């Protein structure tokens, strides 16, 4: 169930100033202080939100807070900026009413943060989706860009907006953002060239120097030292809490999100660097022959670097700083600039360059964030602009800022009164006119087209002749002297005899927020805001595309002699457009207040707050809201809140809500003059009546709370009793069960004991009977055994006696037979005994020989030459034959293990042995290396795909060789391919075939006897392959290559066997000449490889290193 809350619940002080009683400026300030001390920084004046800057982070902007205020009534929860943002967004989405949120206050009051909070809340509660999120991100990321270029550190605020910003956020019919349009007002461009003490220039200058990479600074011709730039103040260059390096990265990322191209970002940074360089240009006086003084640039290095960055011809810009050309119809006059005029021209160029860059940035952001669809959009405007300013020294900027605030105050009063009147008419309540201060007369004093201050300032600027700030003040004294809100030393309202606070060069205006003293010094120059045409034309001639866009008036083809509009007239037109725009929207107000000048938390300076309350017109706002009925509320929530005060409406009212409210107020005997019944709302005139109802409600709530506690405690005690009763029954049941179980266990245990004793007695009785029976049986058995033993012993004795007799007879017979045999054998032994003994001895020796041979048998390796020693000489033939038979059998067993491929390899090895053994010194090192054939894996390597296609047959050998050049003896790497019909030489890098020779054209191969890899392939004379002569090649696998060539020629039936010539000196045919190749042993140099050198046209020497 949702809990109903209200603005009046748990209220600290008074949440809505309309309900403040008694109403006075002192009570107003004390209420704000009380709420501020309890971290309640938001307070209402009706639908207006007062926001006090806490100068610290508060946990009231979390996602949970967003959900808490989402889709809730404005007065349903405690005051919060989210309530106003939600009310505006829901009115726009559900009622199709365009909205505007006006945020005002002085510097440091938190206007910028308030606008961010409004935009972040709207972004959080509107729809989701890829495109929607992209638009929201672009709208939010436009703030860091504008803050970097438009904000600066001041004595009042470390991130003070030095321009006014109005953003129209466009939504579709669902309430999802489509885009936005930003308008900027009155950038404080004078800050570019001069900053008050304790303040900084715009953030972007410090961010660029701190956060840019060394490479970027080198391109922009800048360094990180702030002191090298005259336009940067040094006393406040570093600000606690501001990380310029991190902020620069944030700005770069934000520009990328918004849609800036990389070259556009670079162009913007180049213009910022150009402004810094401009500040370093200094001038010196130089006298001419005519006696006049002209200016010259002291050090042209900064001017040169600036011109290189912007692509401007240095001489053109240098002349523009020294001369000024004035054109009038067909006449053109050029005059020299003195030093002060040159400095004025430099600063004017810097200010114009930066202000136009800022305007271009706003336009470029609008191009990225504007809605793409042409359909009608719902619009929510957010205005973040200077508040009313009253300084010790007020100049032209404060004058037009206060003029804008006068217009906003006029709009605020008109719209507030109109809203009140519309609500009264809508509810059917009689409207009575409200007395209030109408500041239209002040606005007319400033903006009147004929006698207004701005009109007279423009007229004075356009007037020929000597024009100064003093002549402008004289004009004001002449025309405005009778005006009741204008004062000067010469006006009738000044009382100058006693008022010494009004200097001669000042005038004072009675604004709605109080009197403001303006110094006229600089009014004319700041209103003129002139930039010499020579400088505009010089900037237009730049090769920098962005600079050309910023100075279109410098185009010589489009010379316009018409004077540009003044700053005052431009601002007046902008304010007029803004007022028309705001008149078409439903307004929502946020009034920002700064609690202290120290930018510290928990400090509330009453005098400072009182000053802001006055010039914000908050008391006037409260009085307008309270002029009729101070409080109004729909009937349903009113009845829901106060129904417990009447027995007839409590606890439920069954009829219409209005009738219930009438019954309620009648029962409470509230005076009829204190309220009025509208169509949907009850209107209460005096806050005391509302506080009376709230007090009665609190008392009733205490009684209701006591009743609820009583009923709850009774219900809780009964519930506890029933629970204990139920628990007692359960416990008793469990106990009885437990007791019966224990009793059963005791009976069962006793029964078991009795049974065990009975069974034991029966078992012992049976055991006794069985033992007696067994003893009887054992006695009979023993007697029988003794009797049988006696009989057996008697029979054994008889048998033994009989056996002794028979054995004696057998022994006697055996001896007799032996005697007879020995007598006969003696006759036979004497004739054949020697031969029998010899044969037996020989048989035993051979048997022992074979057994020993079996034990000492050598291994099964064919190359194992071990064989047991011969034991007797007469076995020499047998021993050799057995060794030969064993070796043949062992070789057969070894050959049976070979595959066909392995047999082929061994056949090649055997062939190589026949060809090179004891003939070539390189042969022994090749014996242990198997013949692999395809060393390049040519069929699987994609690098040689082209070469594979050129060879149709199976490749028997693929390896890298060096082809020896006859001219210098140096080798060139070639791919050597061998098939059954051809051998091919190809380029190592691209696989292109260099030579393909049929094997029948190969007649012989020549090699040396030494340890080298050189060999010559001799070709048949007159064949097509022999046109360029023989091939002299070098390879580490010489033995394998020549062996495979020899085997192919041996197996071919159509050609002769290949001749292998092994000699340390042989001839090689190169085209028409024969060259002798001679191999000479030499000491090792640069490794152990052989090297070939050309000695003359007929001799190539190969130096073969020999091992020491």
């Amino acid at each position: 169930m949702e809990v109903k809350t209200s603005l009046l619940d748990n209220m600290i002080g008074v949440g809505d100033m309309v309900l403040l009683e008694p109403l006075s400026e002192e009570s107003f300030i004390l209420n704000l202080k009380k709420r501020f001390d309890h971290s309640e920084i938001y307070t209402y004046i009706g639908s207006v939100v007062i926001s006090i800057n806490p100068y610290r982070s508060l946990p009231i902007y979390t996602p949970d807070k967003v959900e808490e205020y989402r889709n809730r009534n404005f007065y349903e929860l405690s005051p919060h900026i989210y309530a106003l943002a939600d009310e505006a967004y829901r009115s726009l989405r559900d009622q199709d009413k365009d909205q505007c949120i006006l945020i005002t206050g002085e510097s440091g009051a938190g206007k910028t943060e308030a606008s961010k909070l409004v935009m972040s809340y709207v972004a959080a509660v509107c729809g989701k989706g890829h495109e929607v999120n992209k638009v929201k991100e672009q709208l939010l990321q436009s703030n860091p860009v504008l803050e970097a270029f438009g904000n600066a550190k001041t004595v009042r605020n470390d991130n003070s907006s030095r321009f006014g910003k109005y953003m129209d956020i466009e939504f579709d019919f669902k309430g999802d953002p489509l885009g936005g349009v930003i308008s900027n007002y009155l950038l404080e461009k004078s800050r570019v060239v001069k900053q008050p003490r304790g303040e900084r220039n715009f953030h972007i200058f410090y961010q660029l120097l701190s956060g840019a990479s060394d490479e970027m600074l080198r391109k922009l011709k800048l360094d990180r030292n702030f002191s090298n730039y005259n336009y940067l103040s040094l006393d406040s260059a570093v600000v606690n809490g501001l990380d310029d390096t991190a902020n620069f990265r944030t700005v770069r990322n934000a520009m990328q999100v918004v849609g800036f191209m990389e070259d556009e970002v670079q162009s913007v940074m180049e213009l910022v660097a150009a402004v810094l360089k401009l500040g370093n240009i200094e001038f010196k006086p130089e006298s001419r022959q005519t006696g006049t003084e002209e200016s010259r640039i002291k050090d042209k290095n900064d001017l040169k670097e600036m011109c290189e960055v912007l692509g401007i011809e240095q001489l053109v810009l240098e002349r523009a700083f020294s001369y000024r050309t004035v054109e009038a119809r067909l006449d053109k006059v050029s005059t020299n600039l003195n030093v002060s005029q040159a400095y004025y021209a430099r600063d004017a160029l810097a200010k114009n360059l930066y202000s136009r860059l800022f305007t271009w940035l706003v336009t470029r952001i609008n191009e990225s964030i504007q809605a793409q669809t042409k359909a009608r959009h719902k619009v929510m405007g957010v205005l973040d602009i200077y508040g009313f300013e009253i300084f010790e020294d007020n100049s032209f900027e404060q004058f037009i800022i206060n003029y804008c605030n006068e217009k906003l105050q006029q709009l605020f009063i008109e719209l507030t009164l109109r809203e009140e009147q519309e609500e009264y008419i809508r509810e059917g309540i009689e409207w009575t006119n409200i007395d209030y201060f109408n500041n239209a007369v002040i606005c007319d004093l400033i903006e009147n087209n004929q006698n207004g201050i701005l009109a007279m300032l423009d007229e004075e600027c356009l007037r020929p002749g000597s024009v100064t700030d003093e002549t402008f003040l004289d004009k004001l004294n002449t025309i405005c002297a009778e005006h009741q809100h204008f004062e000067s030393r010469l006006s009738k309202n000044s009382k100058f005899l006693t008022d010494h606070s009004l200097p001669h060069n000042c005038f004072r205006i009675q604004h709605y927020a109080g009197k403001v003293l303006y110094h006229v010094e600089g009014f004319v120059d700041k209103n003129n805001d002139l930039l010499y045409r020579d400088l505009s034309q010089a900037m237009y001639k730049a090769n920098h595309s962005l600079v050309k866009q910023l100075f279109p008036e410098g185009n010589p083809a489009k010379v316009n002699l018409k004077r540009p509009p003044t700053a005052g007239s431009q601002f007046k037109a902008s304010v007029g457009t803004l007022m028309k725009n705001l008149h078409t929207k439903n307004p929502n107000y946020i009034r920002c207040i700064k609690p202290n000048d120290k930018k510290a938390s928990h400090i509330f300076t009453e005098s400072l707050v009182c000053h802001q309350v006055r010039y914000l017109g908050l008391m006037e706002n409260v009085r307008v809201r309270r002029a009729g009925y101070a409080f109004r509320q729909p009937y349903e929530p009113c009845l829901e809140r106060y129904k417990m005060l009447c027995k007839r409406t409590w606890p439920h009212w069954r009829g219409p809500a209005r009738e219930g409210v009438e019954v309620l107020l009648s029962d409470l005997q509230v005076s009829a003059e204190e309220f009025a019944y509208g169509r949907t709302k009850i209107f209460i005139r005096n806050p005391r009546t509302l506080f009376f109802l709230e007090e009665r409600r609190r008392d009733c709530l205490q009684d209701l709370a006591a009743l609820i506690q009583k009923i709850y405690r009774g219900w809780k005690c009964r519930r506890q009793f029933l629970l204990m009763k139920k628990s007692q029954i359960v416990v008793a049941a469990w106990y009885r069960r437990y007791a019966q179980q224990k009793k059963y266990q005791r009976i069962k245990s006793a029964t078991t004991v009795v049974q065990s004793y009975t069974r034991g007695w029966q078992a012992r009785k049976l055991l006794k009977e069985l033992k007696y029976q067994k003893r009887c049986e054992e006695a009979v058995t023993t007697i029988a055994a003794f009797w049988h033993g006696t009989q057996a012993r008697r029979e054994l004795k008889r048998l033994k006696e009989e056996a002794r007799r028979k054995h004696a007879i057998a022994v006697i017979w055996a001896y007799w037979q032996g005697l007879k045999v020995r007598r006969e054998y003696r006759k036979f032994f004497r004739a054949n005994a020697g031969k029998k003994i010899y044969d037996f001895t020989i048989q035993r020796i051979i048997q022992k020989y074979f057994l020993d041979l079996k034990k000492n048998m050598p291994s099964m390796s064919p190359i194992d030459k071990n064989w047991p020693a011969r034991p007797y000489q007469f076995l020499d033939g047998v021993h050799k034959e057995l060794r030969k038979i064993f070796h043949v059998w062992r070789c057969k067993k070894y050959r049976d293990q070979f595959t066909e491929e392995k047999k082929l390899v061994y056949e090649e090895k055997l062939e190589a042995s026949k060809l090179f053994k004891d003939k070539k010194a390189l042969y022994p090192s090749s014996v242990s290396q198997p013949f692999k054939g395809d060393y390049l894996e040519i069929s699987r390597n994609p690098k040689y795909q082209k070469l594979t296609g050129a060879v149709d047959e199976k490749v028997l050998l693929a390896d890298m060789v060096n082809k020896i050049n006859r001219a210098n003896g140096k080798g060139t790497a070639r791919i050597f391919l061998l098939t059954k019909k051809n051998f091919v030489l190809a380029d190592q890098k691209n696989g292109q075939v260099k030579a393909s020779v049929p094997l029948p054209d190969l007649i012989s191969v020549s090699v040396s006897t030494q340890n080298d890899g050189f060999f010559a392939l001799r070709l048949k004379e007159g064949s097509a392959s022999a046109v360029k002569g023989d091939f002299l090649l070098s390879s580490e696998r010489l033995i394998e290559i020549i062996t495979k060539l020899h085997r192919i020629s041996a197996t071919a039936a159509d050609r002769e066997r290949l001749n292998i010539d092994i000699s340390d000196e042989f001839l090689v045919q190169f085209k028409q000449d024969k060259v002798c190749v001679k191999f000479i042993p030499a000491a090792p140099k640069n490794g152990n490889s052989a090297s070939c050198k050309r000695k003359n046209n007929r001799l190539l020497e190969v130096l073969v290193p020999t091992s020491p």
Side-chain angles (χ1 to χ4, degrees), residues 786 788-798:
F786 273 101
H788 292 312
T790 303
Q791 287 185 331
R793 284 192 293 273
R794 289 176 181 176
E795 182 65 20
L796 178 62
K797 186 176 180 182
R798 185 185 65 78

Side-chain angles (χ1 to χ4, degrees), residues 1014-1026:
F1014 286 81
F1015 64 97
L1017 300 179
R1018 306 286 301 280
L1019 303 181
K1020 186 186 297 182
E1021 294 184 3
S1023 63
S1025 304

Side-chain angles (χ1 to χ4, degrees), residues 905-938:
V905 171
Y906 277 98
E907 287 176 0
E908 290 180 348
K909 284 288 185 180
L910 184 62
E911 185 78 16
S913 176
K914 293 177 181 179
L915 293 175
F916 298 106
K917 186 176 181 181
D918 299 329
K919 299 177 183 178
K920 177 72 173 171
L922 184 66
Y923 171 74
S925 63
S926 69
V927 173
S928 61
Q929 299 175 358
F931 289 171
K932 183 178 178 182
D934 188 2
Y935 292 95
L936 303 181
E937 297 183 347
I938 193 167

Side-chain angles (χ1 to χ4, degrees), residues 957-959 961 974-978 983-985 1017 1033 1041:
L957 186 142
D959 194 13
V961 300
R974 290 285 186 265
I975 300 174
F976 183 85
L977 302 181
L978 177 64
F983 74 84
V984 177
L985 291 176
L1017 300 179
L1033 307 176
I1041 293 173

Side-chain angles (χ1 to χ4, degrees), residues 167 187 289 313 321 717 723 780 844 894 929 942 961 995 1095:
M167 173 183 280
L187 176 72
Q289 295 178 355
E313 189 175 348
F321 280 133
C717 290
L723 181 63
V780 172
R844 293 297 296 169
Y894 187 77
Q929 299 175 358
V961 300
K1095 302 300 288 184

Side-chain angles (χ1 to χ4, degrees), residues 200 202-217 220 222-227 229 232 236-239 242-250 252 269 272 276:
R200 293 205 315 178
F202 292 102
H203 291 324
I204 188 61
F205 295 111
Y206 305 93
Q207 293 174 359
L208 175 62
L209 297 179
S210 300
S213 63
D214 294 335
E215 177 66 18
M216 175 179 281
L217 291 179
L220 298 178
L222 300 175
D223 58 74
R224 298 192 189 278
N225 191 356
F226 297 154
S227 62
Y229 304 101
L232 300 184
S236 301
V238 179
V239 181
L242 282 182
D243 188 349
D244 290 322
T245 303
N247 290 338
F248 182 74
R249 292 194 296 269
T250 302
R252 288 295 299 270
M269 297 307 165
V272 174
L276 288 175

